[in-house]
Amino acid sequence: AGLPPDMPTMPQLLRRAGYSAHMVGKWHLGHSQPQQGPIGRGFESHTGSHMWDIESYTKLMWDRPWTKPYGADWIKAHENGSSHHYPEPRHATIAITEEAVAVMKDHKKEKEN
């Protein structure tokens, strides 16, 4: 599953043009192999989830609402190969918003130096 490897993505095209590309939020375009995820498709970093239906506070995933959750999905990954799955206690909307602001502030600091 996922996008065909020969189909360029916006972050790939933007980076070829000299821009930075970071992602926060949920990735919906394939995740079974690292090259299908946000980092493999052009983003420099990704914070968020790969899966479909996560609970907003616990990040737990269910196949069906009446079954037990089968895991949690929250990750911080970078193109240098580092990644960290962790329990994110903030509501997903708050976590995504605050991470987006932090990425923009870090990017501004990097460009100023």
Side-chain angles (χ1 to χ4, degrees), residues 4 6-7 15 24 26 30 34 40 43 47 50 53 55 64 66 68 70 75 80 85 87 89 95 97 109:
D6 60 340
M7 180 183 288
R15 291 188 67 195
V24 295
K26 192 190 305 187
F43 287 104
T47 301
H50 288 120
D53 192 17
E55 197 278 324
R64 293 175 186 87
W66 56 85
K68 290 184 179 181
Y70 57 88
I75 187 170
N80 68 6
H85 284 271
T97 302
K109 286 179 193 170

Side-chain angles (χ1 to χ4, degrees), residues 15 19-22 44-45 78-79 102-113:
R15 291 188 67 195
Y19 292 91
S20 294
H22 300 271
E44 296 168 61
S45 68
H78 301 274
E79 68 181 347
V103 167
M104 289 184 279
K105 286 181 178 178
D106 288 345
H107 177 74
K108 182 179 179 185
K109 286 179 193 170
E110 288 175 15
K111 293 298 178 186
E112 289 174 347
N113 293 332

Side-chain angles (χ1 to χ4, degrees), residues 7-34:
M7 180 183 288
T9 61
M10 282 298 283
Q12 289 169 329
L13 297 172
L14 287 168
R15 291 188 67 195
R16 286 182 201 155
Y19 292 91
S20 294
H22 300 271
M23 181 188 167
V24 295
K26 192 190 305 187
W27 177 257
H28 290 275
L29 300 172
H31 64 276
S32 65
Q33 298 175 21

